[in-house]
Amino acid sequence: MSGSKICRLEAAELGIYQDDLEKLLDFYRVPKKRRVELLDIARNAEQRSWLRTRNPHFPGDWQTWSDFEDEASTLLHYDPLTIPGLLQTREYAREIIRATGPDLADEQVDALVASRMARQSLLGKVEPVRLAVVLEEGVLTRPFGEDGAAGRQIRALIDAAEQSTITIQILSPQVGLHLGLTGPFIVLEYDDEPSLVWLENSLTSLFLEDDDQVDAYVAAWGELAKLARTPEESLAFMSKMADR
């Protein structure tokens, strides 16, 4: 693993997989008794962290998600409901956070919007994450905010789709029923670690790591991408929407 990742692990800024911990314990020549204690902590911590109840006032698992997202080389994102956070304008982010968190105080909303905007730096790194998105057409037609806000969000999507590392595909309602109707999901792929799947709703968030589960979602994303408009057709479709 990279030196920067080890620094983040040692500073407790990043969670650790059990197999990585075992390798580091070997490297550091940790005594057997202490080794057993640390591995036991890691096993219990992992059980607590994969599935957790969300704090409705301030989502505490955002940092965990950001850590995993930051290490990913590719994100495959399907969403039938909202525009992905990495592609949201500040206006859209504020409106969606307020709509889904009506009990949040203004300062909490401000903090969450700032966090979401900061995450978008992943797309501008020297080696940016590759982002491939399939969106339901209805996501783009749902009104929000002040006049012009929807148009500005669509133009932001167009700008993003013109980057070589970002692909956006729009799924027409004419496609009918399909695999994605079970809900949104994100597949996180890594250069040197197993892929993960992230699922969430208003109360819980869940990472899937079993190969069979991940493979099923990768296959589902591939089928959705085949059903959707091509990236070129989607760009043309969004351009017409922006003009309107």
Side-chain angles (χ1 to χ4, degrees):
M1 63 184 73
S2 66
S4 62
K5 180 176 179 180
I6 291 177
C7 287
R8 296 178 68 194
L9 289 171
E10 292 179 338
E13 295 174 353
L14 184 67
I16 186 170
Y17 288 106
Q18 189 168 325
D19 57 348
D20 285 341
L21 176 60
E22 290 175 350
K23 293 171 185 174
L24 288 175
L25 294 175
D26 288 340
F27 182 77
Y28 296 142
R29 299 180 182 178
V30 174
K32 183 176 180 179
K33 182 179 179 181
R34 183 59 174 155
R35 178 189 180 95
V36 171
E37 293 173 352
L38 292 172
L39 288 173
D40 184 60
I41 291 172
R43 278 190 292 269
N44 292 328
E46 185 174 272
Q47 291 171 3
R48 290 193 298 271
S49 64
W50 289 110
L51 178 61
R52 74 189 76 194
T53 300
R54 185 191 302 275
N55 179 338
H57 298 291
F58 197 93
D61 56 353
W62 272 35
Q63 184 59 54
T64 301
W65 161 250
S66 296
D67 288 339
F68 281 106
E69 183 183 55
D70 186 52
E71 297 291 333
S73 58
T74 300
L75 301 173
L76 305 178
H77 193 151
Y78 165 72
D79 206 315
L81 302 173
T82 62
I83 293 168
L86 291 179
L87 300 176
Q88 293 177 3
T89 62
R90 185 175 294 274
E91 290 174 291
Y92 186 95
R94 183 171 297 279
E95 292 293 328
I96 199 70
I97 288 170
R98 283 198 179 280
T100 56
D103 296 330
L104 292 172
D106 288 343
E107 60 269 21
Q108 292 171 319
V109 173
D110 291 341
L112 291 173
V113 171
S115 173
R116 188 164 294 182
M117 295 299 100
R119 280 170 49 202
Q120 295 181 0
S121 64
L122 290 174
L123 302 176
K125 295 192 303 184
V126 176
E127 295 184 8
V129 64
R130 175 179 171 267
L131 177 63
V133 177
V134 175
L135 291 178
E136 295 281 351
E137 185 177 315
V139 172
L140 304 182
T141 59
R142 181 175 290 114
F144 74 94
E146 300 176 353
D147 289 345
R152 288 188 286 274
Q153 175 62 79
I154 292 173
R155 291 186 187 93
L157 291 175
I158 292 170
D159 291 342
E162 291 175 343
Q163 299 183 39
S164 61
T165 55
I166 300 175
T167 300
I168 300 175
Q169 293 179 252
I170 308 301
L171 192 58
S172 169
Q174 302 304 318
V175 168
L177 304 180
H178 54 72
L179 285 169
L181 295 177
T182 54
F185 62 87
I186 306 175
V187 179
L188 300 91
E189 298 181 342
Y190 300 88
D191 291 333
D192 54 359
E193 295 178 8
S195 297
L196 299 171
V197 174
W198 166 261
L199 306 174
E200 67 173 332
N201 59 34
S202 60
L203 295 177
T204 62
S205 56
L206 173 66
F207 279 108
L208 303 178
E209 58 176 337
D210 290 347
D211 290 343
D212 291 346
Q213 295 172 328
V214 173
D215 290 345
Y217 275 94
V218 171
W221 193 92
E223 289 299 316
L224 292 169
K226 290 178 183 178
L227 292 173
R229 296 179 176 93
T230 66
E232 295 76 19
E233 291 169 344
S234 298
L235 186 57
F237 176 80
M238 290 189 292
S239 295
K240 290 180 180 179
M241 287 193 69
D243 290 340
R244 292 199 298 269

